[in-house]
Amino acid sequence: MITAAWVLRKANLEDSGLLVDIAIDGGKIKAIGQNLPIRGNEEWDLSGLVVLPAFVDAHVHLDQTLSTSFNKSGTLIEANELWNEEKRRLTYERYFMRALQAQNIAITYGTTALRTHVDVYSSGFWLALEAILDARKRQRDLITVQIVALGKGGNNPQDEKALQQALKMGADLIGGSPAFTPNPKKSIDTLFDLAELHDKSLDLHVDEVDDGRIMTLEYLAEKTLERGFKGRVTAGHCNSLSFADDATADRVMDKVKEAEINIVTLPSADMVQMGRGLKPSPRGLTPVKELLGRSINVAAASDKVRDSFNPLGSYDLLQTANLLAHASQLTGTHEIPMCLEMVTTRAASVLGLKEYGLFEGAEANLVVVNSKNLTDTLASVPERLGIFRKGQLVLRTVSRRVWTEGLVWT
Ligand SMILES: [Zn+2]
């Protein structure tokens, strides 16, 4: 009989009504099918538990996370003040330990790849970048980490120089927040110049405001086409799109679609920061339903986690998908699986990960969750019972609940 390193028996992949076996060997999914005639060196009978592709966090900030600065007012103004102050006293060791701890948390929730932004505009930024490069190296067998050099927007030679230095040190992509610069168009032009020069993709913070008049996304989409960067640009947040009039939003979304820009929505951070003081109080997220309706690739990610910008948030992408389903009202039967895709396959596509998903020949990155169907998976945010990365079992959860006898009917 054929053998494999692992065979997971009776897994529920897509609520199709059929339970399948998954054979894993050589780091890849060797076969998927009913009653596979393959013997596993190790076997696990899942008895109908759901198996998902491992999670991919398309947008986090490992330099800012798990902070000890507390934002009394909760506002963006105070958050920025606290973060700028905190950066002056953070050491390499502190950055390194925070990044490592955050990566560990992410892994325990079943995330096997993430993309982090790192500020590269303050003096001494290289401390944070160096620490995160080292944290990535330390856990390279457990998690794939991509690094975006987050500059001020390329509006001055100093910022350009910092971005170039960050790329030289090992950052993978160019980032920035053009809407927050004095000249957003010039900022976008400069970022494309740099991206062209260094042959890098762009991942920008875009229109992170609850004001529909601010719309740098449109210029970004036009330039993406003009500069030949189709499919190589990612735009995070894009909140103002939800506040624009219908004609503007439709026009911009058509251009985004044509330019094949990936949109990343950040439900926790956006709900915490957007729409403060507005009445009626909006949810503040980019219009996910409309973007998906145009077949634009949308991912959902953690963004800020336990820092001065967001004391909430987590690296649990099932929780993010749950928040997104609530905030964007993605509760139709066809929309439930989409919420899960936005933290797995759609996010993997943002990171450009190849051979990602649950199919024969794909890299065996998968999560067994304590749930029997997809709706329950999204609703109850169940425990991750087993996490595989490149075919290796990274973590298995074993827990037992014990009722006190006589108190509960079971
Ligand atoms: Zn961000």
Side-chain angles (χ1 to χ4, degrees):
M1 187 183 256
I2 310 167
T3 59
W6 270 96
V7 177
L8 307 181
R9 302 279 179 200
K10 298 190 184 69
N12 174 5
L13 298 194
E14 291 163 341
D15 278 358
S16 65
L18 298 176
L19 299 182
V20 294
D21 297 344
I22 307 169
I24 298 168
D25 203 61
K28 302 212 171 222
I29 296 178
K30 185 185 173 99
I32 298 180
Q34 282 185 286
N35 305 311
L36 283 180
I38 298 177
R39 189 169 52 78
N41 294 335
E42 304 210 53
E43 300 221 355
W44 185 358
D45 181 359
L46 301 181
S47 302
L49 291 172
V50 168
V51 173
L52 298 170
F55 301 110
V56 176
D57 211 333
H59 183 135
V60 302
H61 291 261
L62 291 181
D63 54 343
Q64 303 182 17
T65 195
L66 307 175
S67 161
T68 46
S69 295
F70 300 103
N71 187 337
K72 289 194 184 72
S73 66
T75 59
L76 204 53
I77 296 171
E78 188 177 338
N80 273 312
E81 283 169 7
L82 285 169
W83 172 228
N84 287 328
E85 193 274 321
E86 193 180 4
K87 269 193 282 194
R88 283 194 282 275
R89 60 187 156 80
L90 277 170
T91 58
Y92 165 90
E93 286 74 20
R94 193 78 197 102
Y95 277 123
F96 178 72
M97 289 314 292
R98 290 193 339 183
L100 215 54
Q101 200 184 342
Q103 285 174 188
N104 270 337
I105 298 171
I107 293 163
T108 61
Y109 284 126
T111 295
T112 58
L114 62 78
R115 180 181 280 181
T116 182
H117 296 252
V118 180
D119 281 13
V120 299
Y121 52 81
S122 7
S123 61
F125 76 81
W126 47 268
L127 270 187
L129 184 55
E130 220 164 55
I132 286 161
L133 284 161
D134 288 349
R136 159 164 88 175
K137 203 166 159 194
R138 174 71 71 91
Q139 285 177 314
R140 66 183 161 206
D141 293 334
L142 295 173
I143 189 162
T144 301
V145 175
Q146 294 182 354
I147 299 174
V148 185
L150 174 55
K152 263 287 181 212
N155 259 341
N156 59 57
Q158 209 184 343
D159 188 52
E160 274 185 58
K161 223 170 124 191
L163 281 169
Q164 279 173 320
Q165 191 188 334
L167 294 175
K168 213 189 247 177
M169 284 173 71
D172 307 292
L173 296 100
I174 295 170
S177 307
F180 294 148
T181 66
N183 189 341
K185 287 186 177 173
K186 181 170 171 277
S187 168
I188 289 170
D189 290 343
T190 310
L191 293 173
F192 272 114
D193 288 344
L194 282 172
E196 211 169 74
L197 185 67
H198 296 276
D199 190 25
K200 297 287 181 192
S201 299
L202 288 172
D203 189 332
L204 307 182
H205 284 64
V206 176
D207 303 332
E208 202 176 340
V209 285
D210 44 28
D211 181 343
R213 293 166 299 178
I214 294 168
M215 194 56 68
T216 62
L217 182 58
E218 183 166 19
Y219 188 74
L220 179 67
E222 287 165 0
K223 288 290 146 182
T224 300
L225 287 166
E226 252 179 69
R227 306 285 294 248
F229 270 71
K230 212 168 166 174
R232 293 187 62 190
V233 175
T234 297
H237 295 286
C238 305
N239 308 89
S240 71
L241 197 55
S242 275
F243 297 84
D245 60 80
D246 287 351
T248 305
D250 284 344
R251 188 182 69 240
V252 174
M253 284 193 280
D254 285 345
K255 290 183 185 177
V256 167
K257 163 82 180 147
E258 203 190 333
E260 294 173 16
I261 291 178
N262 295 301
I263 304 289
V264 181
T265 185
L266 296 314
S268 176
D270 283 344
M271 280 196 284
V272 163
Q273 285 302 345
M274 294 294 118
R276 283 178 177 254
L278 296 183
K279 282 185 181 165
S281 179
R283 292 174 170 88
L285 269 65
T286 198
V288 173
K289 212 183 262 268
E290 289 77 2
L291 290 162
L292 289 172
R294 282 179 158 78
S295 302
I296 291 167
N297 187 40
V298 183
S302 300
D303 197 20
K304 308 289 172 72
V305 177
R306 318 278 162 79
D307 59 22
S308 46
F309 295 83
N310 184 11
L312 310 174
S314 78
Y315 290 102
D316 184 346
L317 285 172
L318 265 187
Q319 191 184 48
T320 296
N322 174 293
L323 274 176
L324 175 66
H326 282 91
S328 298
Q329 300 179 328
L330 293 165
T331 50
T333 46
H334 67 292
E335 290 167 332
I336 302 270
M338 281 173 140
C339 290
L340 297 170
E341 286 165 20
M342 280 187 270
V343 291
T344 56
T345 47
R346 290 171 186 265
S349 157
V350 172
L351 267 67
L353 302 178
K354 305 268 184 277
E355 297 179 347
Y356 185 90
L358 297 178
F359 54 86
E360 288 176 7
E363 206 169 70
N365 302 316
L366 45 95
V367 183
V368 178
V369 299
N370 192 12
S371 161
K372 292 280 176 88
N373 65 66
L374 296 185
T375 305
D376 178 60
T377 300
L378 187 64
S380 67
V381 188
E383 258 184 322
R384 304 328 108 88
L385 298 180
I387 297 161
F388 287 81
R389 180 167 190 264
K390 294 188 180 173
Q392 189 194 358
L393 180 67
V394 172
L395 179 149
R396 194 160 172 178
T397 304
V398 182
S399 61
R400 199 159 71 98
R401 209 170 264 149
V402 183
W403 291 103
T404 303
E405 215 175 302
L407 286 184
V408 180
W409 180 85
T410 55

